[in-house]
Each structure stands twice: as C-alpha cells, then as structure tokens.
Amino acid sequence: MEYELWYWDGIPGRGEFVRLALEGAGIPYVERARGPDVDDNALVDDMARDRPHPPFAPPYLVAGQLTIAQTANILLFLGEKHGLAPTDTAGKLWVNQLQLTIADMVAEVHDVHHPIDSSMYYEDQQPEAKRKAYSFRRNRIPKYLGYFERVLEAQGDWLAGGTDWTYADLSLFILVDGLKFAFPKRLAHVGKNYPRVMALHRKVAELDALQDYFKSDRRLPYGDGIFRHYPELDEA
Amino acid sequence: MEYELWYWDGIPGRGEFVRLALEGAGIPYVERARGPDVDDNALVDDMARDRPHPPFAPPYLVAGQLTIAQTANILLFLGEKHGLAPTDTAGKLWVNQLQLTIADMVAEVHDVHHPIDSSMYYEDQQPEAKRKAYSFRRNRIPKYLGYFERVLEAQGDWLAGGTDWTYADLSLFILVDGLKFAFPKRLAHVGKNYPRVMALHRKVAELDALQDYFKSDRRLPYGDGIFRHYPELDEA
C-alpha cells in the first residue's frame, strides 16, 4: 500500500511536515494534488467526496481504507506505524505534545501576515500585520524558541532524547527554517540565545536520509504560504 | 492515583475541555491551581519546575509520573485509558482529528478579540477585533459548523457514530456553548442551518452524568477567557 498525500500544490505549507517525515523515513508516497497531469480542482473535488471521515482541510493522508487529516494526527499515525517516535505511552504523548506546540506556533506565524482574514490578501491587512509582527518578534519568538531550548537542555540532541530524531524534530527543523526565511533579521539577532535549537536545525539539514529530497523538485520553495518574507514585517 | 489538573483559575478556558471529559466519565481529579488555599503563583511556579516533559502552557494533567500537556493530547490519553473514544485505529485517529479541528476553531475564537497580541488588553486592539469579527462571523462560523453538520449527517447523533459520546462530542458542546455566549445574535441567526450540531449541544447539556457538574461551582462562568461577549463584535 502506497500512501497518498493530498495538499495544495505550489507551497510547502502544512503538507511539508508530513512530507519531511515520509522522506526522512524513506516511506513511499504519492502526491495526489501535484504534478503536470493533476487537474487544478482535484483537491477541492476530493475534499467534497462522501467519505466516513472527511477532512476539514488539507493536508490529509490516504492509507488504504483510512483517510487521516490534521497534521499532528497524520504524524501520530506515521510515528506509531513506522517507528518515528517512542513506542511507550510517555514518549508517544510527549512527541505528540511537542508537535502540537509546534503547530500552535505555525498557526501564529501564518496569522502574522493574515491577522484579520485568511481569505483576504496580505496587502488588505498590512497595517494590522505590522502591529502583530512587532509582538510576534518581541514576545512569541523568544517564548517558543526559549521553550524548545529548555527542552533540548534536558533531553540532549533530540527533543525526545535518545540518539535519533522523531517526527517532532523534523517539524522543529521546518519551523526554524521557515522563521529564518520569514524573519531573517530577527533570527540572526536572537538565534544565538537558542544554540541547541539552531544545532538541531543544522543536524536535520545534514541528515543523509534527506539530502536527495532537499535537492529534488519535490521540495517546494517558500512562496505565498505560511512562511513569507515581507521585509516590512522583519526587524532585529 | 488521582489526576491533578493544572489550569488558570477564574476562567473555563481550555481547561474546560479536559474538565468536562473527567466529569462526564466520573473520573476523580483535583484542581491544583484553584481553591481558597492555592497560592496565586502556584501555576506559574509549577510550570517553571524541572521535569522531563515540561508543558509550554496550561492545561496540563499530572497522572502519577506523567505530565501531559496540550488539550488534545490530554484527551487522547484519557480517551484511550478510560474508553472515551473508539479503541480501533481508525476511530481513535478520527476522534483526535475532530478534536484538533475543534481546537483550531477555539484558537480562532480567541483571536477574534485578540487579533494583534494576546498579552495586550482587548481595548487596545478593538478596531482590529471588529474587522476580524466580521470575517469570523461571515466565513469561519459557517465553515466550521457546516463541517460538523456534515459529519453528523453521516455519523448520526454523535461525531464518531455509535450510541454514546466521545470526548470530541463534549468538546463540540463547549465550542457551541461558547459561541452562543460570545456571538448570540449570529448563532440565533445561523443556528437553524446546523440542526444536528445544535441537537448535539442540547444532548450533552442534558447528559445525566454532567448535571451535578453543571450545577456545581466547579463549573466556572464565562469571563475574560476564550469566549467573551462583546456586543460590538456580534451581529446577526
């Protein structure tokens, strides 16, 4: 059985958290809403299909008879099934907890450039975005990155301890990577306060298992998705 | 072993999702940050303690040696341990998926009155809140409630089918209850479009297992938490 990943084409977005876990573990999958032969409406049409467990939003993963949505839920499934997280209750819940905290920050990053209405253009909510970006840079980046730094101080190289990554480590890589892209001045300024978080980012960037993916066109560049670089929203 | 629940005193907040599951299932627990003998700093002090799996934010549940944070993660744990969700993989993931979708809407409800900075007063972000409330009422309420209505059309009385509630049903009750409190005009106007969602709200309100709780002072009134009624943010 080959997994089918459904996510908007053209941006890494939340699909990237699933994609990186699949790629890092060498799990075969096919993108169902990307590629030259895919109809532009394929994803919207598939979402509207009758199924017992419909997704509210992409990404979702079709695994045989199962359709699984919500990024953290997909990763919980893949983590258990493919050993991408500890198998004991405490370790499994811990990695899920970390993933949900990462998801909270991802939602906040998105809302910096869309504080009023996710269906409106950035340009139509730019004054509000500037205000929100100020508090995000000042308060939220240190709060979240300080938390993950504290976790790594206690756990070691990886968020759940041990000698190997879990899916939450790959997700933290994406978060830090996206923050460095979106807020380069701020991350250059505060990054030194979070040496363990930055080291984790480098270690994932260098994982043998991900080198082919990083060089391939399966990895999409940042664009009009969650992580956007608007110079007017960044400051040291 | 008695569970210890840690959450801000004075508001139902996200703690309420955990509390209602515990109450509904008759699971003993103690509130560690509420009560006349509790120091005002107890929660903040406890959060700062060294522990292997520190929470980023409340609520968190202490279960013997385990400390479990993130609302959906706590409910995943309680659901498995106390039979508050299906035990098969598909059913367990489905209830977790629903819970995460409810959590997404809960975060949006909060951000309506705090679109710029969660640490600032509402009054200092009121113009932005009014703009966000417009799109929330118009776009987000129908999108989310329409989704849950569609789920109930397929599943029956409860979100995961069957003849009994899961923790996601109790959480959907809280969400609808909070929306009715915060946006009474809008809910009165659109509620008729979601008869199954409104019926679920009534059924949970009438559950025998919850009557004592609803009448007790363990249930906190809405206040300055997630669900706030600002008349200027509501409209039919």
Side-chain angles (χ1 to χ4, degrees), chain A residues 74-228:
Chain A
I74 300 170
L75 290 169
L76 183 73
F77 167 77
L78 292 175
E80 283 194 27
K81 188 134 180 139
H82 299 278
L84 313 183
T87 51
D88 63 301
T89 300
K92 193 180 70 172
L93 291 169
W94 171 236
V95 172
N96 187 42
Q97 175 179 323
L98 290 164
Q99 188 66 40
L100 292 170
T101 304
I102 292 167
D104 284 346
M105 192 181 191
V106 168
E108 290 190 33
V109 175
H110 171 270
D111 289 354
V112 168
H113 52 73
H114 276 75
I116 301 301
D117 186 331
S118 58
S119 67
M120 275 175 18
Y121 289 112
Y122 162 65
E123 288 71 18
D124 295 329
Q125 48 198 312
Q126 198 192 42
E128 294 91 345
K130 284 185 184 171
R131 264 194 99 187
K132 192 175 181 86
Y134 177 86
S135 102
F136 181 78
R137 291 192 312 264
R138 293 282 152 156
N139 304 326
R140 304 307 283 171
I141 288 179
K143 182 162 175 154
Y144 277 105
L145 295 190
Y147 171 75
F148 292 117
E149 185 73 12
R150 177 184 166 198
V151 167
L152 290 169
E153 271 172 34
Q155 297 284 343
D157 288 348
W158 303 110
L159 291 165
T163 56
D164 208 355
W165 55 268
T166 67
Y167 64 77
D169 294 292
L170 302 193
S171 290
L172 184 57
F173 162 82
I174 296 171
L175 178 59
V176 173
D177 205 64
L179 288 171
K180 285 165 79 96
F181 170 78
F183 303 95
K185 288 184 186 169
R186 184 62 177 155
L187 266 282
H189 185 70
V190 301
K192 63 183 176 304
N193 301 331
Y194 315 109
R196 290 170 182 84
V197 172
M198 296 304 147
L200 182 146
H201 175 264
R202 280 193 304 274
K203 277 157 56 92
V204 173
E206 292 165 2
L207 283 177
D208 283 347
L210 287 171
Q211 297 313 307
D212 280 353
Y213 172 66
F214 286 146
K215 285 180 213 134
S216 75
D217 60 5
R218 302 196 299 286
R219 188 186 199 192
L220 290 163
Y222 294 109
D224 284 346
I226 295 165
F227 298 106
R228 305 190 189 183

Side-chain angles (χ1 to χ4, degrees), chain A residues 54 73 96 115 128 131-132 147, chain B residues 54 73 96 115 128 131 147:
Chain A
N73 194 44
N96 187 42
E128 294 91 345
R131 264 194 99 187
K132 192 175 181 86
Y147 171 75
Chain B
N73 193 45
N96 187 44
E128 293 92 343
R131 263 195 100 187
Y147 171 76

Side-chain angles (χ1 to χ4, degrees), chain B residues 5-230:
Chain B
L5 176 60
W6 290 85
Y7 193 68
W8 307 113
D9 194 11
I11 52 167
R14 287 185 172 81
E16 189 68 5
F17 295 91
V18 179
R19 207 174 279 127
L20 206 63
L22 292 165
E23 296 278 354
I27 300 166
Y29 70 103
V30 57
E31 298 260 8
R32 288 296 307 275
R34 279 179 64 182
D37 300 330
V38 172
D39 188 277
D40 282 352
N41 293 322
L43 178 55
V44 171
D45 289 347
D46 190 71
M47 293 262 297
R49 277 209 301 121
D50 273 336
R51 48 177 24 126
H53 298 158
F56 177 76
Y60 55 96
L61 191 78
V62 177
Q65 296 299 309
L66 291 177
T67 299
I68 308 162
Q70 282 283 356
T71 308
N73 193 45
I74 301 170
L75 291 168
L76 183 72
F77 167 77
L78 292 174
E80 282 194 27
K81 186 135 181 138
H82 299 277
L84 313 182
T87 51
D88 62 301
T89 299
K92 195 180 69 172
L93 292 169
W94 171 235
V95 172
N96 187 44
Q97 175 178 324
L98 290 164
Q99 189 65 38
L100 292 170
T101 304
I102 291 167
D104 284 346
M105 192 181 191
V106 168
E108 290 190 33
V109 175
H110 171 271
D111 289 354
V112 168
H113 52 75
H114 276 76
I116 301 299
D117 187 332
S118 58
S119 67
M120 277 177 14
Y121 289 113
Y122 162 65
E123 287 72 17
D124 295 328
Q125 47 198 310
Q126 198 191 42
E128 293 92 343
K130 283 185 183 168
R131 263 195 100 187
K132 192 175 181 83
Y134 178 86
S135 103
F136 182 78
R137 292 193 311 267
R138 292 283 152 155
N139 304 327
R140 305 307 285 171
I141 289 180
K143 182 161 174 152
Y144 277 105
L145 295 190
Y147 171 76
F148 293 116
E149 185 72 12
R150 177 185 166 198
V151 167
L152 290 169
E153 270 172 35
Q155 297 285 343
D157 287 348
W158 303 110
L159 291 165
T163 57
D164 208 355
W165 54 268
T166 67
Y167 64 79
D169 294 292
L170 302 193
S171 290
L172 184 58
F173 162 82
I174 295 171
L175 178 60
V176 172
D177 206 62
L179 288 171
K180 285 165 78 98
F181 170 78
F183 303 94
K185 288 183 186 168
R186 183 62 177 155
L187 266 283
H189 185 70
V190 300
K192 62 183 176 307
N193 301 332
Y194 316 110
R196 291 172 182 82
V197 172
M198 297 302 148
L200 182 146
H201 175 264
R202 280 194 303 276
K203 278 158 56 93
V204 173
E206 291 165 3
L207 282 178
D208 284 346
L210 287 170
Q211 297 313 306
D212 280 354
Y213 172 66
F214 286 145
K215 285 179 211 135
S216 75
D217 60 6
R218 301 196 300 285
R219 188 188 200 192
L220 290 163
Y222 294 109
D224 283 345
I226 295 164
F227 298 106
R228 305 190 189 184
H229 177 54
Y230 293 121

